[in-house]
Each structure stands twice: as structure tokens, then as C-alpha cells.
Amino acid sequence: MNLIDETLKDTPKIPVQKYTPKDFQSDQDVRWCPGCGDYSILAQVQRVLPELNIPKHDIVFVSGIGCSSRFPYYMDTYGFHGIHGRAAAIASGLKVARPELSVWVATGDGDGLSIGGNHFIHLCRRNIDIKIILFNNQIYGLTKGQYSPTSEFGKVTKSSPYGSPDHPFNPLLVALGAEASFVARGLDRDPKLLQTIIRRAAEHKGTAFMEMYQNCNVFNDGAFDLFTDKETKDDNVIVLENGKPMIFGKEKDKGLKLEGFTPVAISLKDGKHTVDDLIVHNEKNTMLSFILARMTNLPNLPRPVGVLYAVERPTYEHEVTKQIESSINKQGIGTLEKLLAHGETWIIK
Amino acid sequence: MVKDLKNLDEVTIRFAGDSGDGMQLTGSQFTTTTALLGNDLSTLPDYPAEIRAPAGTLFGVSGFQIHFGSKEISTPGDTCDVLVAMNPAALKVNLRSLRDGGIIIANRDGFNDKNLKLAGYDKNPLDDGSLEKFQLHSVDITKLTTLAIRELNLSTKVVERSKNFFALGMMYWMFSRPLESSIKWIQEKFKKSPEIVDANIRVLKAGYNFGETTEIFLARYEVKAAELHPGRYRSMTGNEATAWGLLAASAKSGLDLFLGSYPITPASEILHELSHHKNFRVKTYQAEDEIAGITSAIGASYGGAIGITTTSGPGLALKTEAMGLAVMLELPLVIVNVQRGGPSTGLPTKTEQADLLQAVHGRNSEAPIPVIASCTPAGCFDAAYEAVRIALKYMTPVILLTDGYLANGAEPWLIPDVNSLQDIDVKFHTDTKNFFPYSRDEKTLSRPWAIPGTPGLEHRIGGLEKEHITGNVSYDAENHDFMVNLRHQKIEGIANDLPDAIIEGDNTGDLLVVGWGGTYGAIKTAVQKKRIEGKSVSHLHLKYINPFQKNIGDILKKFKYILVPELNLGQLSQLLQAKYLIPVIKLNKVQGLPFKANEIEAKIDDILR
Ligand SMILES: Cc1ncc(C[n+]2csc(CCOP(=O)(O)OP(=O)(O)O)c2C)c(N)n1
Ligand code: SF4
């Protein structure tokens, strides 16, 4: 038995107590700007975690640097505030070393997709069982308002007074392109949806990527108003539900259908279409997930939110553990004596 | 025909050919066999950065030098006694390392018009008398190889590939070595293709028999076993030894090893070697880049494993920010830097010692990290073990410096007794009463290691400055000053844990040669020779560079002159001068090559004239 197992062998594996959201609040003051979308996301995480039946001490939040990356300080779990962009890599090492832990990453659009873009795609492709919450405010908050890799083309900011010449990333497409096995999008002002997504991600075995639209009311206020305001939301957002036809609109009077590979929004009231014409959401359909993710930047189409994609495939740490077990089965557990006797040796008298 | 059998104390052989000629393999086979005979030895592989440089060119030459003897051997040899040259380029590049009167064995078939031209020869040096001062043997190695396996009907490519075994067979004959070990190796290595096994063994024997029957070699030689310390030995390269030292520390401490690494020459073999030992529960994580290599290792250390990252110079540069993080977190971590020629991509396959200041100082702000260095290939075992021990005891990242010369060079290693290794006692913190993540052990100043999964110890750590004891984020001016000093003190305090440095030679005298790292063998050889000549010179080799051992200052004061040979422009010199305010004489070489003992001897003569 190694030292970790030995030390933790008496650790309760099932929580002795029932948690409440309060149990997940640390003693540190939350220092985000009043009105920041981060608060809502924090609150929803703290609401869902008690339902998961995971002992608090087995949960770790890892982050990079940015406003959103302060997240771990506010959680009364284990927490690791890393360096800019590297949360995914730190979390990967932790999860591979300790597969039994529940490992979460809190990251921003700059942190996760700019400086940390490399680690992000590699985490997705490896499918390490880590939950990534990407707080997307389409701006750099902590460094006070430069454009981020998700800011729209032409965006005027402190570092782009003449408009950003950068074409933006679409986080969902990046994740899908990197073969993430779970991809979802939530809205800071839709707590119910956030909770559903967080719960689903927690239950998923493998890398679960959640893009969360987050309003930075100081440097990019209103970036997502179209999708979160009561008035405009229903006509501009489509909430995906597995197995359900794609209906949206304030009066549930619109739908999405496919013409070839192209999604089009249609009216259900024009007499030409019925519900049977609509796309039925299928979380396991890879091609559909790309079409939906692509809808982010296409005009005249609603923005998909909810779980776009969820499939099971072997996780990296599972494969690693398997190799180790099979090698121990074959050769016996390695010991220092065995190591030193290994290979070609000779004796000098 | 009965040939003379001559006894030699020591011999240096260099195998040289195209990078596709298999010279590294030939050299390492000769090494294994020689080690099994009980000789002491030291090797120097020397190969181009290109995997398959264009055949026949000067820059495509690959060489392997082995120095072995019946006496103690500390370097791969300044000059060689025998040069095996598979083509004109190999001859041209290596001739200057052959001593006058040395033996050349040339593959005549390789000396065709095209190759002669590529190597820049107007005339064939095998025929024009220009090699008169050497004992030249031109042998039709390719042709003889072809003849030896003619009836096997193998493709010319396979035949071409086997010719290095002919050369090896000849050398086995010439130096009276048995074939068994190489035959066994061939059988194992190629067990999936019996025809290749057959061909290579036949060629190896053909080379041996050629030596026996041909009239061109007038003598053969014998090098008796060395009088090594009794015990069980194996041959070790520096990279293998590093991997094993880490494994040993893992076994001894009861902690799992996690290696986060991105391949880079000449460090990759550590990753390769550790990847083989899965039954030690080692997890090797081939990361997407160096930054992920070190940060994943930090993540693993946070989780309670021994986090290791291995790299070479350019990779160390990339890891800089994460090293600072590890300093702030006060988590154990070992960073192995197998130095190579730089700056930038520099000379990827050549050796250098120019990352010393990067290791000691190369981070933003005050971020002290212990630095230790191995001085021989097999010594990498102890150095790696020690690096882990210090990292765990003091909850700190540690940098282990080796270099390309140590990494690839091999020597016999006296396998240690398990009980002789220093204990590594680790305890994770589990007590929930009065737990503070940045409270400290009074003696070591290290903080408790509380790993995720421990009930009741949920806490947050990160790169932001910590408040003393609580570990909460703090921007308080006085606290920062205090913490900077505390971290510094913790590392300085490691000196109390180190054994005194030991001088080789007298404790006082005219000249002290101070070295560190892979220059050990060359300095030792030079100093010993000068001492036999009666000169007042001693040798001090530093294994600990940050902090220095406590008695270094006293030692330095007892000599009139201090000479510091380094494969850089004087980095250790700078550190010694800054710390001890003493004048030092520098001897620097930055050619991608190790020192030759005679270069150091000349400098000693110069100073003591
Ligand atoms: C190596 C490094 N480069 C740059 C920075 C400065 N920096 C800190 S956070 C940040 C961007 C944060 O943006 P985002 O990830 O979108 O997070 P937000 O603050 O908006 O939540 C930058 C550039 C840093 N801390 N480290
Ligand atoms: S700057 Fe923006 S993202 Fe950062 S805390 Fe303030 S509102 Fe939130």
C-alpha cells in the first residue's frame, strides 16, 4: 500500500452528513464587483454540489488567473489557484495522480482559450474526468478591459481603440473539435439551466466542458443581454433537451429544421410546417453537435444553450490505471530490491 | 598463425561512421561486453542532431568512444588508440583525436569516389601515404559482410545494415572479448525476425574470425579486469541512473511517482526509462509542452505524489513561471535539467554546463530553489535520490542538473545495498485540530502537506502571497517582506542538512581545482596526474550549488590559487566570487565537448609554473 492509500484508508467514502449550499461557502469574502455574473455561477455550483453525494474533502477546484479564477477561494473544498492559463494542466496532473478525486476547473475565456488554449484542447482530447467551467465574459476582466479571444470582431476596447482585428473563437467548437465528450452552454442569469448543466457535467465520466455566459458589468456590460433579457431571450435562445424537437420563441411558435446541412429557423404558425419537420435533439450525434455549435455565429438563428453533446468514451486516467494494474499483475509490484537486481549485472570479487 | 598477445592497462577506441551505420549500437555492445569482463570504463557517445544526416557528409558522422582499463577510469579518454572509420568523413572528422601511432581500421568499401568527394578528399587517404604515422588497416568490411551472409538472400539494405557487427566482431577479436553477450542481445532484440538474428550473428562471427585468420593484424590485446570495489555491478548511463534514483526514492518513501514531461534531447531517455516501470505505480504523463509537464507534476504533488519533470535547457526556460508557483505553494517537486549546448536550440546533442545561473536565479522575484548536480553518470542515481529527499523534507522544488555528457555516457555502477540509502520519512498531515496550511516545522521550516481527500482539512492554496501561518491571500507589505525572508531562510537552512564537502588531495596547498557536474572525471584525472608529479594541487567537486555546503568557505581560504574549470563562461566562478569574495582563475570551454584531462593539466602547469 502506498502512503496516500494508507493515510486515507479510514476516510469516509460516503458523506456522513447531508450538505447544504452553506457548507460549500468558505470563510473568505467574495470580492467580485457587485453585479458580476460570477456570483450566480458560484451560487449554482454551491447549490448543486450538496446533491451529488460526494464528500466535500474529495472535491478540488483548480483555476488559473483572472477574476473568475478566484473561484476556488470562495468554495469550502480543496482549492488551487494556479498561474495564468495552466489550470487544465495542473488539474490533469492531479486527476491522473488521484483518480478518485472530483476535480473541477474554473477558468475564463482569456485564461482558458488564450494563454491556456493549448492545455484546454489537450485536456479535451485525453478525456480526463475533469469538469471545466469556462466563464465567458468576452473580455479580460482582471487586467481591466482588453479584448479576449471570444470578443467579437471589431470590438472597441482599451487595447483595440480602432476595433479588434481578431476573429473570435467559438468555445463550443473548439471543445468539440478537440473531441470533448461533454459540451454544454449555460447563462449566468438562468439558474435552473445552470444547475441542470452542472449536475449533468458532474455525472458525466470524462472531460465535461461548460461554457457559461457571464456578464462583466464593469468592462463589457450587456454582452449577452439579447440572450438573457426577459424581453428578447425566448426569441433568441433555444434550450436543448435530449429527444425533444427544437422549438423556441416566446410563444413556442418557432422551430429549427435542417435543409441539407444548414439549420434554418421556421415558423410553426405559417401553415407550411409542423413539429414533425423539426430537428430532434440527440446529444450523441456528433455531426449535429457541430451544426448546433456553429449556430453561435450565424445570423437569424437562435443561440443553443443546454447540453449539446454527451457521449461516453474511456478516460485517460482509466487507461493509465489499467496499464499499471496489468503490469503489476504480470510482474508483481515493483520494489527497490527488484529494481536493483533488474537487468544485466556482474559480480566483482 | 600465432599472434602476439599484448597486455594493456587501458585503451580508448572510437567507432565512427554515418549516422545510419549503427555506431552507437556497436559502441554500446562493446561497452556491455567490456563491463561484463570487469573492466572499469567510461564512454562518450557523440552524434549529430539530424536523425539521418545525408550519408557520407562530414556533419553526418556519428561516433562512440569508449575508454576502458584494468585501472580506474574517469574519463572517456583524451585521445584514442584505435579508430574504426566506416567512411572517409568519419576518418576526416575523427583523425585528430587519434594518437600518433594509433590504429586505424577503415572500411575500404566506404572509401568510394562519391564518399571521398563528400568528405573533401582529392585522393584516397588509404592509398596516398598520408596516414603513415598510424597503423592503417583497410578492410573490405561491406564486401566481407556480404560474403558472410550471401546464401541468406537478404536485401542489400539488410546486408548494409549488418556491417557494423563485422566491425564489432573484429574489435572483439582484437581485444580478446567474448561474443556471447552480444549474441544474446541480438537474439533478444530481433526475436521477431529470425533471419536478421541469423544474419547479424553470422556477420559478428565473421568479423571475429577475420581477425583470427587474416594476416593483417599482427597483434591482439588483452585488458585485464580492473580492481574495482567488490560487489555486484551493472552498466549505467546518466539518464538511466537518474530514472532509477527517482524510482528508488519513490520506493523508499512509499510515495507514487508522477513524471510530467515533454520530450527533448538529451533528457528523453529518463521519460522512456520511467515509462517501462509501470509496476512501480509510476505514472508518466507525456504532456503537450514543458509548461504542462511541470504544472501537471505540481498538480500531482499537490495530490500527494512525488511530482517530477524532466527537460533540457530550452524546456527549463519554459518552466520558469511554474517553478515560481511551486516555490510559493511550497510543494515538493523535482525538476531535472539535462543541460545541452545553447543558447536557444543551440547544439541539441552536445554537452554544456551553461544553465547553472538559470537554475540558481532564473525566475521572477525572489524564488529560491535548491540546486544539486551530479558529477558522474552513475552518480545521477544518488543525486536524483537526494533531490527527492530534500524536496520532500523541505516541501520545496529542487533542481537537479545533469548534462548531455553524463546522460549518455556509461560506466560500471556498484549496485548499492537497499539499507544503505538514507531514509525518506514522509507523513501527510491529517490532524484537523489547529490546522494551518502555512504553519511550519521549527527545524526545517517546511509546511504541512495536507492532501485533497483528507477530511476536515479543506483549504485553498495558490500563487498569490500568503499570510504567514494561515496561508490566506495577503498583500500586506510587512507580511510579504517576512515571507520572502522566510522562504529564503528555509532554503539556506538546508545547508545544515548537508554533509561536509570533501577534498580529494590535501586540505591545504597551492592550488585547488573547484568543479561541479560532469567535469569531475577530467578534473580528477588531471589533478591525480599532477599530484604524482609532486605538484601541490587538490580537487573539490561541488554536488550542492544552492545552498553551498557549510565548509566551502573555509576550504577555499586554505589555498593560494583557486581554479574553476567550467563548460560555460564562468558561472560557478561568479557564484563563488560573489559569496566568498575570493579571486578565482577561470578555465572555460564552450564547444559542446567535455574537457580533456590534458587541457586542465596544461592550465594547472601554467598556474604552478
Ligand atoms: C503569465 C501571465 N500573463 C498575463 C497575466 C495577466 N492576466 C491576468 S488575468 C488575465 C486575463 C483574464 O481574462 P479572463 O481569463 O477572461 O478572466 P476574467 O478576469 O475576465 O474572469 C491576464 C492577461 C498573468 N497573470 N500571467
Ligand atoms: S471586472 Fe468584470 S468579471 Fe471581474 S469581477 Fe468585475 S464584473 Fe466580474
Side-chain angles (χ1 to χ4, degrees):
Chain A
M1 197 162 25
N2 76 338
L3 194 64
I4 299 178
D5 296 343
E6 210 167 298
T7 308
L8 302 181
K9 65 176 183 293
D10 301 325
T11 304
K13 282 294 162 233
I14 302 155
V16 271
Q17 81 214 74
K18 268 270 170 237
Y19 295 120
T20 65
K22 242 186 139 48
D23 292 317
F24 285 92
Q25 294 165 10
S26 79
D27 58 356
Q28 301 294 300
D29 292 335
V30 184
R31 299 231 197 122
W32 288 311
C33 308
C36 176
D38 289 353
Y39 284 96
S40 162
I41 299 170
L42 175 65
Q44 304 330 315
V45 170
Q46 287 169 338
R47 189 152 307 159
V48 174
L49 287 185
E51 303 169 8
L52 297 179
N53 241 21
I54 305 171
K56 215 164 73 155
H57 55 258
D58 280 344
I59 299 174
V60 189
F61 276 84
V62 181
S63 67
I65 299 291
C67 293
S68 43
S69 288
R70 297 291 171 98
F71 196 92
Y73 289 124
Y74 308 139
M75 297 292 302
D76 194 27
T77 59
Y78 281 90
F80 190 125
H81 183 214
I83 44 178
H84 199 28
R86 316 303 169 195
I90 295 166
S92 298
L94 173 62
K95 180 71 185 181
V96 174
R98 300 281 308 280
E100 74 278 15
L101 296 174
S102 169
V103 179
W104 299 65
V105 164
T107 183
D109 43 316
D111 188 66
L113 293 174
S114 205
I115 188 167
N118 189 27
H119 310 305
F120 172 65
I121 57 176
H122 288 283
L123 171 51
C124 292
R125 84 174 160 90
R126 289 190 182 110
N127 197 33
I128 303 177
D129 188 4
I130 290 172
K131 320 300 162 201
I132 312 168
I133 307 175
L134 184 130
F135 296 61
N136 187 2
N137 53 14
Q138 297 190 349
I139 201 81
Y140 282 8
L142 194 72
T143 46
K144 301 200 174 73
Q146 301 83 5
Y147 64 95
S148 91
T150 52
S151 296
E152 62 275 20
F153 178 82
K155 172 116 186 142
V156 174
T157 71
K158 279 186 187 146
S159 61
S160 56
Y162 303 109
S164 157
D166 282 23
H167 183 81
F169 251 151
N170 176 341
L172 299 183
L173 276 176
V174 178
L176 287 169
E179 312 234 357
S181 56
F182 179 98
V183 175
R185 178 191 274 150
L187 307 164
D188 55 1
R189 285 194 231 162
D190 188 340
K192 281 267 153 335
L193 178 69
L194 284 188
Q195 289 168 26
T196 312
I197 290 174
I198 295 165
R199 206 173 291 120
R200 287 281 314 275
E203 284 157 6
H204 180 74
K205 279 241 151 302
T207 306
F209 174 66
M210 297 165 263
E211 180 192 18
M212 309 255 179
Y213 281 173
Q214 170 239 327
N215 192 39
C216 171
N217 55 317
V218 174
F219 296 110
N220 201 18
D221 196 22
F224 305 109
D225 278 358
L226 194 63
F227 315 109
T228 51
D229 270 10
K230 258 208 183 92
E231 293 307 305
T232 51
K233 176 177 174 175
D234 294 335
D235 285 332
N236 290 290
V237 159
I238 178 153
V239 185
L240 302 170
E241 281 182 84
N242 199 32
K244 299 260 171 72
M246 296 199 184
I247 298 175
F248 69 107
K250 218 180 235 151
E251 278 145 31
K252 302 270 173 236
D253 57 345
K254 295 177 196 169
L256 277 181
K257 71 167 210 173
L258 272 180
E259 286 179 0
F261 295 111
T262 312
V264 280
I266 48 106
S267 162
L268 289 171
K269 288 202 297 204
D270 62 1
K272 291 190 219 151
H273 294 100
T274 68
V275 171
D276 295 340
D277 296 329
L278 304 183
I279 314 170
V280 173
H281 186 40
N282 177 355
E283 291 171 353
K284 296 199 179 343
N285 189 322
T286 312
M287 295 307 143
L288 181 62
S289 70
F290 277 95
I291 290 171
L292 291 169
R294 220 349 157 198
M295 275 166 47
T296 303
N297 296 332
L298 299 179
N300 307 322
L301 286 168
R303 255 192 216 193
V305 297
V307 179
L308 269 79
Y309 189 58
V311 293
E312 296 271 322
R313 65 182 174 91
T315 66
Y316 176 94
E317 68 275 18
H318 176 74
E319 296 302 308
V320 169
T321 308
K322 230 167 61 182
Q323 282 187 2
I324 287 179
E325 277 168 5
S326 102
S327 141
I328 291 174
N329 283 341
K330 256 194 229 132
Q331 307 171 48
I333 182 91
T335 63
L336 196 44
E337 289 76 5
K338 267 190 209 165
L339 176 72
L340 295 180
H342 174 86
E344 195 148 20
T345 63
W346 66 93
I347 290 177
I348 291 193
K349 291 207 180 88
Chain B
M1 179 182 171
V2 183
K3 293 175 184 180
D4 253 3
L5 188 63
K6 293 186 183 159
N7 234 306
L8 297 175
D9 286 345
E10 56 177 320
V11 184
T12 301
I13 305 178
R14 186 177 257 262
F15 297 93
D18 254 342
S19 40
D21 280 343
M23 291 296 104
Q24 300 305 326
L25 192 151
T26 312
S28 55
Q29 279 304 304
F30 194 91
T31 303
T32 308
T33 298
T34 295
L36 291 173
L37 285 183
N39 292 120
D40 196 7
L41 62 86
S42 168
T43 71
L44 175 66
D46 179 18
Y47 51 91
E50 293 73 19
I51 305 303
R52 289 275 182 271
T57 59
L58 293 172
F59 65 87
V61 173
S62 169
F64 187 103
Q65 187 163 313
I66 169 168
H67 180 196
F68 60 103
S70 55
K71 51 177 227 172
E72 190 184 358
I73 301 291
S74 305
T75 74
D78 286 1
T79 55
C80 52
D81 306 299
V82 182
L83 171 63
V84 178
M86 300 303 278
N87 67 9
L91 180 70
K92 189 161 211 181
V93 169
N94 291 294
L95 199 54
R96 64 175 175 166
S97 65
L98 186 64
R99 69 166 168 81
D100 288 356
I103 299 171
I104 300 173
I105 294 169
N107 173 20
R108 174 169 279 282
D109 298 317
F111 284 67
N112 54 33
D113 289 348
K114 185 176 157 225
N115 281 347
L116 286 165
K117 215 170 129 202
L118 278 171
Y121 281 113
D122 298 335
K123 284 177 286 178
N124 191 337
L126 304 184
D127 300 325
D128 68 0
S130 63
L131 301 173
E132 236 167 25
K133 61 176 177 179
F134 306 106
Q135 306 174 46
L136 172 66
H137 303 296
S138 20
V139 181
D140 297 319
I141 294 180
T142 312
K143 198 180 299 156
L144 290 166
T145 301
T146 315
L147 287 175
I149 48 178
R150 195 174 33 189
E151 66 260 39
L152 298 181
N153 281 326
L154 295 164
S155 70
T156 28
K157 206 166 140 199
V158 175
V159 176
E160 267 282 314
R161 280 235 186 104
S162 317
K163 65 178 188 294
N164 58 335
F165 281 106
F166 193 92
L168 181 64
M170 273 195 296
M171 288 295 101
Y172 278 167
W173 176 81
M174 185 176 272
F175 291 97
S176 322
R177 330 254 97 183
L179 305 182
E180 281 72 40
S181 155
S182 286
I183 290 176
K184 231 174 82 189
W185 181 86
I186 292 169
Q187 285 164 337
E188 182 57 27
K189 174 87 182 169
F190 302 106
K191 61 175 173 238
K192 291 203 182 108
S193 6
E195 71 284 0
I196 307 272
V197 171
D198 193 14
N200 285 340
I201 293 176
R202 279 191 198 206
V203 172
L204 181 71
K205 287 184 174 164
Y208 190 92
N209 294 335
F210 178 79
E212 185 77 40
T213 48
T214 181
E215 312 241 319
I216 65 169
F217 299 129
L218 298 175
R220 71 189 296 209
Y221 306 94
E222 201 172 35
V223 180
K224 293 239 160 65
E227 280 186 24
L228 297 171
H229 197 281
R232 185 175 283 280
Y233 282 78
R234 80 191 304 281
S235 175
M236 266 303 206
T237 65
N239 276 344
E240 276 173 327
T242 302
W244 281 37
L246 298 171
L247 282 172
S250 158
K252 200 84 177 179
S253 63
L255 291 176
D256 290 349
L257 206 71
F258 177 98
L259 172 72
S261 185
Y262 189 74
I264 185 169
T265 306
S268 301
E269 290 85 16
I270 306 174
L271 165 66
H272 303 171
E273 178 66 21
L274 286 175
S275 306
H276 273 293
H277 295 280
K278 291 242 155 35
N279 66 327
F280 284 79
R281 300 173 48 129
V282 175
K283 289 175 179 164
T284 52
Y285 181 78
Q286 186 176 317
E288 55 273 19
D289 61 22
E290 276 79 0
I291 300 174
I294 186 169
T295 46
S296 62
I298 293 173
S301 280
Y302 174 62
I306 307 174
I308 311 283
T309 189
T310 50
T311 192
S312 188
L316 190 73
L318 282 173
K319 293 176 195 292
T320 301
E321 188 197 10
M323 282 190 247
L325 173 68
V327 168
M328 205 60 153
L329 298 173
E330 303 192 44
L331 281 173
L333 176 75
V334 173
I335 302 138
V336 183
N337 178 18
V338 185
Q339 299 162 96
R340 64 187 217 180
S344 186
T345 319
L347 309 174
T349 59
K350 310 289 178 187
T351 199
E352 205 167 277
Q353 293 186 301
D355 297 346
L356 184 68
L357 292 180
Q358 183 184 203
V360 175
H361 294 305
R363 285 165 293 284
N364 61 305
S365 188
E366 298 287 353
I369 292 185
V371 177
I372 66 183
S374 172
C375 50
T376 61
C380 291
F381 178 89
D382 293 325
Y385 189 88
E386 178 72 346
V388 176
R389 185 188 74 82
I390 292 177
L392 293 171
K393 182 162 175 187
Y394 292 89
M395 294 290 280
T396 176
V398 174
I399 295 177
L400 167 61
L401 293 176
T402 73
D403 61 46
Y405 162 74
L406 295 175
N408 294 318
E411 63 179 354
W413 177 54
L414 175 61
I415 300 171
D417 176 17
V418 171
N419 299 319
S420 72
L421 297 170
Q422 222 178 318
D423 282 335
I424 305 182
D425 275 327
V426 184
K427 272 196 194 70
F428 295 120
H429 192 91
T430 49
D431 188 1
T432 51
K433 267 185 255 113
N434 287 321
F435 167 68
F436 292 107
Y438 278 73
S439 62
R440 283 171 202 278
D441 177 88
E442 267 170 40
K443 232 167 109 199
T444 60
L445 296 183
S446 71
R447 72 175 193 92
W449 196 1
I451 58 171
T454 318
L457 296 187
E458 294 83 359
H459 67 284
R460 275 67 54 194
I461 57 173
L464 293 171
E465 182 59 285
K466 306 276 164 288
E467 184 182 63
H468 181 41
I469 300 191
T470 66
N472 288 335
V473 174
S474 166
Y475 300 141
D476 180 81
E478 269 78 38
N479 177 73
H480 178 55
D481 191 68
F482 178 82
M483 291 300 280
V484 165
N485 278 291
L486 193 56
R487 286 187 289 262
H488 180 71
Q489 244 181 310
K490 177 173 93 165
I491 302 309
E492 290 291 296
I494 295 173
N496 297 326
D497 203 350
L498 306 180
D500 271 351
I502 295 170
I503 297 183
E504 298 189 20
D506 301 313
N507 289 336
T508 154
D510 289 340
L511 174 64
L512 180 69
V513 186
V514 184
W516 70 279
T519 52
Y520 176 78
I523 297 177
K524 178 181 174 139
T525 307
V527 169
Q528 274 178 352
K529 193 144 164 229
K530 291 295 134 187
R531 287 180 64 82
I532 292 169
E533 288 174 16
K535 301 220 155 131
S536 169
V537 51
S538 298
H539 178 195
L540 172 66
H541 216 78
L542 300 180
K543 294 178 180 165
Y544 301 93
I545 301 194
N546 190 38
F548 287 126
Q549 286 144 294
K550 289 208 299 199
N551 63 334
I552 301 292
D554 291 340
I555 291 178
L556 296 177
K557 281 187 215 129
K558 298 206 172 102
F559 290 84
K560 204 147 77 192
Y561 303 110
I562 308 288
L563 169 66
V564 183
E566 289 181 89
L567 302 176
N568 58 43
L569 294 183
Q571 302 193 5
L572 178 66
S573 299
Q574 264 193 46
L575 294 173
L576 291 175
Q577 283 171 323
K579 169 124 192 182
Y580 300 107
L581 304 173
I582 42 138
V584 308
I585 304 165
K586 301 195 289 183
L587 173 63
N588 307 113
K589 166 172 170 178
V590 199
Q591 302 174 354
L593 295 168
F595 274 117
K596 290 182 171 162
N598 63 27
E599 292 166 333
I600 296 164
E601 286 165 36
K603 188 72 185 179
I604 295 174
D605 288 342
D606 215 29
I607 297 169
L608 296 182
R609 198 185 312 274

